[in-house]
Amino acid sequence: MHLYLLPENIFLNISQEIKRVNIALALAANDSTKEVGLLDADIYGPSIPKMMNLKGNPELTPKNLMRPLKNYGIACMSMGFLIEETAPVVWRGLMVMSAVEKLLRQVDWGQLDYLVIDMPPGTGDVQLSVSQNIPIADAMVVETIRKTHLSNRKWIETGAVIISTPQDIALLDARKGAEMFRKVHVPVLGLVQNMSVFQCPKCKHETHIFGADGVRDLAKSLRLDILGDIPLHVNVRETCDSGQPVVISQPQSDAAKAYLRIAMEIVRRLPVPPA
């Protein structure tokens, strides 16, 4: 297979870019036998090239598929590889949907175990395009694929992860995101509380800058699991800005360990893949 994943492979939607990058790296770090891909679906503001320290244009295979660029063992594809770094993308919805389709279908991903999708904020064209282009991993979808002879359509979508800070304004968007995935029948695996606490590097005093336990309260009201908390650390931002994400550059740090735990919780909640 070139473009499509095998049935046992896993697809994730994860919000907030720095977190998605580190979670993708954590999935690979937790199990070195797994192949992980990272798709930057933020067409207007692609950032994966910078955070993953990648530059250049994808090569084409003999079948005219784009080869992902690779770093830290992660196969990456982004609109940022196809345009100049400073060039704005000024497109209407249909063009954005077409671009998402190409990034999904015209890339030689190989045989991945996990494909992490870097989604932009909101509940618009990109989210709908991704959700509607990939079948959900259940018996009905497998049977439909068999009956319609779409034997090469192997993308299997198994869940979304919502990441939010605890503040009320952010929680409004997080709730909408969770409800959107439910409406398009994408299971929500759980929520992650980002920037949960700030610890002063000098006196070690902890401050809940964005509020405390807001995401936990939201998860309870939505009857969803909390997958973990990510503290507010300057090194998380600095390492991604330098193209050396914290999971890779500082694997023993508290922040890296938080990502590793969250990746383990995500894998625990993934459904058993269809045979």
Side-chain angles (χ1 to χ4, degrees):
M1 289 294 171
H2 293 286
L3 177 61
Y4 303 99
L5 300 185
L6 298 177
E8 66 268 19
N9 295 334
I10 296 160
F11 167 96
L12 301 173
N13 284 312
I14 300 179
S15 301
Q16 298 199 22
E17 292 167 349
I18 291 177
K19 313 313 169 208
R20 290 176 287 237
V21 167
N22 278 296
I23 289 175
L25 291 166
L27 287 168
N30 280 339
D31 189 343
S32 60
T33 68
K34 302 297 185 183
E35 293 292 329
V36 179
L38 180 58
L39 171 60
D40 189 352
D42 192 344
I43 304 300
Y44 293 116
S47 58
I48 294 303
K50 180 176 179 61
M51 286 192 268
M52 290 295 289
N53 196 25
L54 288 168
K55 291 183 179 180
N57 303 115
E59 297 179 353
L60 293 179
T61 70
K63 293 188 176 182
N64 211 34
L65 299 175
M66 293 181 288
R67 283 197 177 98
L69 277 66
K70 199 167 186 178
N71 197 14
Y72 307 126
I74 307 293
C76 303
M77 179 52 63
S78 170
M79 181 59 66
F81 299 143
L82 308 177
I83 60 173
E84 293 294 328
E85 185 176 6
T86 59
V89 177
V90 188
W91 289 349
R92 295 185 184 276
L94 288 176
M95 295 180 68
V96 172
M97 294 168 72
S98 176
V100 171
E101 172 96 11
K102 289 179 180 179
L103 291 176
L104 278 169
R105 303 291 181 187
Q106 296 182 19
V107 175
D108 181 4
W109 287 105
Q111 296 186 4
L112 297 178
D113 295 287
Y114 304 99
L115 179 62
V116 179
I117 309 294
D118 177 357
M119 303 279 267
T123 56
D125 293 328
V126 172
Q127 288 81 358
L128 288 174
S129 295
V130 171
S131 300
Q132 293 172 355
N133 266 288
I134 302 175
I136 308 300
D138 59 25
M140 184 178 297
V141 166
V142 174
E143 183 67 9
T144 300
I145 291 174
R146 187 186 68 79
K147 285 183 177 180
T148 56
H149 306 291
L150 295 177
S151 59
N152 64 337
R153 188 179 180 183
K154 301 299 186 182
W155 291 96
I156 299 296
E157 182 170 11
T158 55
V161 176
I162 306 296
I163 304 179
S164 177
T165 55
Q167 67 202 86
D168 290 346
I169 299 300
L171 294 172
L172 291 174
D173 289 339
R175 180 182 289 274
K176 291 176 183 177
E179 295 295 349
M180 183 212 72
F181 284 121
R182 284 176 167 174
K183 283 189 176 182
V184 296
H185 308 296
V186 175
V188 179
L189 302 178
L191 279 70
V192 173
Q193 185 160 258
N194 183 29
M195 300 183 182
S196 56
V197 66
F198 171 73
Q199 185 182 75
C200 176
K202 293 184 178 180
C203 69
K204 306 302 180 183
H205 176 73
E206 292 188 348
T207 303
H208 296 278
I209 296 176
F210 296 99
D213 294 328
V215 176
R216 294 183 179 278
D217 293 340
L218 176 61
K220 185 176 180 180
S221 69
L222 293 173
R223 297 182 179 179
L224 293 171
D225 292 334
I226 282 287
L227 304 178
D229 293 79
I230 300 172
L232 176 58
H233 280 304
V234 67
N235 62 344
V236 175
R237 191 270 304 167
E238 289 176 341
T239 53
C240 270
D241 281 351
S242 66
Q244 298 178 320
V246 69
V247 168
I248 292 295
S249 59
Q250 301 177 21
Q252 299 304 315
S253 65
D254 290 342
K257 291 177 181 178
Y259 287 118
L260 293 168
R261 287 193 296 269
I262 289 167
M264 290 178 63
E265 291 299 320
I266 290 172
V267 172
R268 282 182 54 203
R269 286 163 176 78
L270 292 172
V272 177

